[in-house]
Amino acid sequence: MTRGRYRGLLLLLSCVLHSSAQSCPSVCLCISDTVSCSSSSLVKLPRSLPSFSVNLDLSHNYVTWLGPSSFNTLPRLESLWMAHNQLGSLGYGVFNNVSRLRYLDLSSNKLQVLEQHYFQGLWRLEELRLFNNKIAQVEPGTLSGLSSLKKVYFSFNQITHFPFFSIQDHSHPFLSMLDLSSNRLTRLPWEDVKAMPGLVQRGLYLHNNSLICDCSMYSLFWHWNLRGYDSIKDFADEHICNIHGDPRASIRFLRNNRFFLNCSVETTVMQPAAVFHTKVIVAEGDRVRLDCQTSLSGTDLSFTWFFPGRGFINQTSVNDTLISMFSNGTVEIHAATVNDSGLYLCTAVDIKQAVNATREVNVTVLLPAAESFNTGYTTLLGCIVTLVLILTYLFLSSCHCSRCKQPAGYNNTTLSSVFSSSKRGQSRMETLKHVTFLEPMLGEKGAEWENES
Ligand SMILES: *[C@@H]1O[C@H](CO)[C@@H](O)[C@H](O)[C@H]1NC(C)=O
Ligand SMILES: *[C@@H]1O[C@H](CO)[C@@H](O)[C@H](O)[C@H]1NC(C)=O
Ligand SMILES: *[C@@H]1O[C@H](CO)[C@@H](O)[C@H](O)[C@H]1NC(C)=O
Ligand SMILES: *[C@@H]1O[C@H](CO)[C@@H](O)[C@H](O)[C@H]1NC(C)=O
Ligand SMILES: *[C@@H]1O[C@H](CO)[C@@H](O)[C@H](O)[C@H]1NC(C)=O
Ligand SMILES: *[C@@H]1O[C@H](CO)[C@@H](O)[C@H](O)[C@H]1NC(C)=O
Ligand SMILES: *[C@@H]1O[C@H](CO)[C@@H](O)[C@H](O)[C@H]1NC(C)=O
Ligand SMILES: *[C@@H]1O[C@H](CO)[C@@H](O)[C@H](O)[C@H]1NC(C)=O
């Protein structure tokens, strides 16, 4: 009992000491690791923010600028809310020493140009909110180095050009949301867009821009629509383009595609790059169906397939036990063999409109499961043999070493050198890739620290 009371007194004392050492600015509210200074009419950051802040809310104020190392007294900062301020630009090295930051909200500010240095060092940042600013330009390197990014919101700005080429598989492996809707994009570098990782394309929002109607644009959206991406499905009516770039002649191109009837001609004759590509991976022996969906639809279509192994095929010429073809252009290979891998081409021809469109399917037939089992089995066997060899070696060497002069010391140094070299070899990239494994460690450390205080 008395011991418990004594401990309670100590706790109280440490609390008082703690709050005097780390005083909460008078305009803010400090609750455990969260500091809220929102709606406090601040024009600058409060002078002494408590260093234990993990979450800092500065939203709904009048801050116009952030200078170098603005947050370098807050090494534990993970979330920073600064929505609804008056930020027009950021100085160099604003986020020095806050590399733990994972969530940054700068939405509803007055940013105009996103400069290359703005987010430097934030390699753990997962979510970046920049919607409803005045951003007209995003410099090419702005997002580079932000290798943990999952979601970025740029909607409701005035962006006319975006550096799609800077988004690559190796630079942004986790990015699954790139919102560029309600901006002023007119023409996109379609090749760069198509080269972005599939995960990013699936989460790319481009509706309500000022796109100029043309065939390469239509073909990409048509393809995404076919794959059922939510970004297209959920905003089908907001996908608009301007005919000849005239904003008065804007159409909802996913609803009304009559304008693009001419495109299929262009896609085959003038723009071979706009062919519809797909990829199919199957195992040997599987039944494979390849459809021939293109921009053309209707009942007056005739289909021709080019098979890598046997040339041109249509519904009247194909008649065997290996392949069937349906009237909608779909072909079926009853049991795929490794030799069926290759590039398959389908041409759909609309006889009445005298237009045609092409679909390309890259088929890869993988080795049968039995063989992969065999390789697994040989690998296992190899492992066992290696293990036996290692054990034999250890046994022999320990026998040998018992006669040596300093067996234990020798072993220790080799062991420690092995460990230290493996630690040194752990490159920065590896640490980046294993962010998910780092997270629980961070949590534990945070908990420890809280107990101390
Ligand atoms: C902040 O980071 C810089 C390098 O980025 C370093 O030189 C400096 O010592 C750090 N400051 C603090 C307070 O940790
Ligand atoms: C489309 O974008 C404009 C600004 O570019 C905006 O004013 C408008 O509210 C947006 N419309 C929708 C439906 O989001
Ligand atoms: C399609 O092409 C024809 C002939 O080139 C042209 O007259 C027609 O206006 C085009 N249709 C559209 C909707 O652009
Ligand atoms: C397909 O081939 C079989 C025998 O080879 C023949 O009896 C049949 O009439 C053929 N069918 C067509 C549509 O050519
Ligand atoms: C084409 O027809 C076949 C057989 O009727 C059907 O199984 C397949 O789903 C159809 N393909 C498409 C793309 O509609
Ligand atoms: C694949 O083709 C090769 C050479 O053309 C042939 O030797 C082999 O038997 C074929 N395999 C199958 C499963 O048809
Ligand atoms: C596709 O259409 C173009 C122009 O109309 C024509 O030159 C070409 O031969 C057609 N291709 C096929 C396979 O019908
Ligand atoms: C088809 O896919 C395979 C592997 O998936 C790839 O190596 C090959 O280059 C592709 N072929 C074409 C023509 O795209």
Side-chain angles (χ1 to χ4, degrees), residues 282-285 338 365-375:
V282 293
E284 186 160 61
V338 175
V365 182
L366 301 174
L367 286 172
E371 244 171 81
S372 57
F373 171 73
N374 279 347
T375 53

Side-chain angles (χ1 to χ4, degrees), residues 279 343 362 364:
K279 208 163 182 177
L343 198 62
N362 185 352
T364 306

Side-chain angles (χ1 to χ4, degrees), residues 220-240:
L220 203 65
F221 281 97
W222 182 89
H223 207 158
W224 287 335
N225 194 21
L226 187 71
R227 294 185 192 182
Y229 289 179
D230 288 343
S231 54
I232 310 291
K233 263 195 305 185
D234 296 348
F235 297 95
D237 284 333
E238 278 96 333
H239 278 85
I240 48 172

Side-chain angles (χ1 to χ4, degrees), residues 135 154-160 179-185 207-210:
I135 303 166
F154 283 112
S155 51
F156 292 95
N157 277 294
Q158 295 155 14
I159 300 171
T160 51
D179 185 357
L180 285 163
S181 61
S182 300
N183 272 289
R184 297 196 181 158
L185 298 166
H207 56 274
N208 194 25
N209 270 285
S210 323

